[in-house]
Amino acid sequence: MSMGRGVTVPGGLGLTGVIIFLLVQVLSGGGSSGAYSVDEPFGTSPQAPGPGATQGIPAAQDPERDLKDFSTYVFSSTLDTWTKIFREEGKPFERAKVVLYRDGVSTGCGDASSAVGPFYCPADQRVYLDLSFYHDMETKLGAPGDFAWAYVIAHEVGHHVQQQLGTSDQVAGMERDKPGDRNALSVRLELQADCYAGVWAHSVFAAGDLEKGDVKEAIRAAGAVGDDRLQRQATGHVNPDTFTHGTSEQRESWFNRGRASGSPDDCDTFSPDQV
C-alpha cells in the first residue's frame, strides 16, 4: 500500500487506521527531522544512511538515547535469532539494517513522512522505525512498554525474513494474478510476520531475558493494531472487506503461536484453513 510522501510500504505494522486515528497529531507535527542507523549519526535532515551525514545531538545530551539504544539492541537480537534459524536449515541469511527517524526519511522505496510509522523496505533491506510511534503506542493506542515496542521491531524484521525466503515475491505474484485477493493475501502476510515476531519472543524467553509482564505488553500491542480495533477507534465502524493486517484476535493468536513453539514452520498462514 502507498502511504506518506510517495513511499510504497509492502511491510508495515498496520497503520491505515493509525494514520486516521492520529491525523490531528500528524498535521500538527513539527521540529527538526533526522535519520539514525546503527552505522550513521543522527542527521539534520531526512536522509537514508550514507556518507557525509552531519553530527546531531551529542549522545550524552540526547533525550532519546535510551530508546535508540534499546531499538538497535532488539533489532540486533532479532537478526541473531533468524541468522541462527537459517543457519540450522542450511539457508543463507543477509542481515537487514535499521534506520530510526522522525518527521521524514528517504528510503529505497521512496520518501516517507512520520504518518507511515514503522515499516520495512525490501528495496534497500532496511527497517525504518519512526521514534514518535513509540510514544503514540502508549498515549494513543493503549499499548505501552518496551516489549510492546520490541514486538513492533520483531514484526518488521519478520517482513525481512519473508523477503529472504521469497514469500513476499510469491505473494506479489499472486496479487498480480488475482487483484481481488490483494487484501486477503496481505492479511496472511502480516499475520505471518506477527508469528515470526513470536518466534523471536520464544528465543528471548528461552535465554531468560524476559521480565515479568513483557509478554503481556507484546500481546497487548498485537491487539492494539488489529484492523477491527483501529477502524472502530478511527471511524466507529468496522469493515472486514477492507482488512489488510488481520483482527486483534488473529494478530494476538499468531504471535502467541510463534511464541509457544519457537518454530517458523508453525507460521504457515497461507494454508486455506489457517486464517
Side-chain angles (χ1 to χ4, degrees):
M1 55 189 163
S2 296
M3 301 181 187
R5 297 182 290 109
V7 66
T8 300
V9 184
L13 187 67
L15 301 177
T16 303
V18 176
I19 292 173
I20 300 173
F21 189 51
L22 305 178
L23 186 58
V24 174
Q25 178 181 4
V26 170
L27 292 176
S28 62
S32 61
S33 302
Y36 172 86
S37 80
V38 290
D39 303 314
E40 300 293 335
F42 218 86
T44 56
S45 62
Q47 57 186 4
T54 56
Q55 182 64 43
I57 303 171
Q61 301 175 22
D62 187 351
E64 292 189 314
R65 175 52 54 185
D66 288 345
L67 177 57
K68 294 172 185 175
D69 288 345
F70 178 75
S71 299
T72 54
Y73 168 78
V74 170
F75 181 78
S76 178
S77 174
T78 57
L79 291 181
D80 289 344
T81 294
W82 287 106
T83 298
K84 182 175 182 292
I85 290 173
F86 272 58
R87 184 187 302 119
E88 290 173 348
E89 296 183 357
K91 298 176 181 178
F93 182 75
E94 185 175 352
R95 293 172 73 92
K97 293 186 178 181
V98 65
V99 177
L100 310 184
Y101 76 97
R102 273 185 175 275
D103 300 327
V105 66
S106 295
T107 83
C109 297
D111 291 343
S113 74
S114 59
V116 175
F119 66 95
Y120 171 69
C121 173
D124 56 22
Q125 296 190 31
R126 283 179 166 89
V127 169
Y128 291 87
L129 300 174
D130 173 17
L131 294 177
S132 65
F133 192 70
Y134 174 86
H135 304 289
D136 293 339
M137 290 177 65
E138 178 177 6
T139 61
K140 303 295 184 180
L141 299 178
D146 289 343
F147 206 75
W149 181 241
Y151 152 76
V152 171
I153 298 171
H155 172 95
E156 298 307 335
V157 173
H159 286 304
H160 178 65
V161 173
Q162 292 170 326
Q163 188 271 341
Q164 293 284 289
L165 291 173
T167 308
S168 302
D169 289 340
Q170 292 174 14
V171 170
M174 288 187 286
E175 289 177 345
R176 287 191 296 269
D177 293 339
K178 296 183 177 180
D181 293 343
R182 183 179 301 273
N183 283 4
L185 289 168
S186 175
V187 167
R188 292 177 184 272
L189 196 68
E190 297 298 332
L191 293 178
Q192 186 177 66
D194 284 331
C195 187
Y196 285 165
V199 170
W200 168 75
H202 177 92
S203 71
V204 177
F205 179 81
D209 292 335
L210 285 181
E211 297 179 359
K212 185 178 181 180
D214 282 343
V215 172
K216 289 184 179 180
E217 288 179 3
I219 294 173
R220 187 186 304 121
V225 290
D227 284 325
D228 54 340
R229 183 176 187 271
L230 293 175
Q231 287 186 4
R232 187 176 293 108
Q233 286 181 301
T235 67
H237 304 285
V238 175
N239 182 3
D241 291 337
T242 63
F243 287 178
T244 58
H245 289 70
T247 66
S248 294
E249 182 180 359
Q250 287 174 318
R251 302 198 73 167
E252 291 176 15
S253 175
W254 280 100
F255 172 81
N256 277 325
R257 185 178 302 198
R259 181 178 63 86
S261 72
S263 172
D265 292 339
D266 290 327
C267 296
D268 178 16
T269 58
F270 291 92
S271 295
D273 60 343
Q274 288 300 308
V275 176

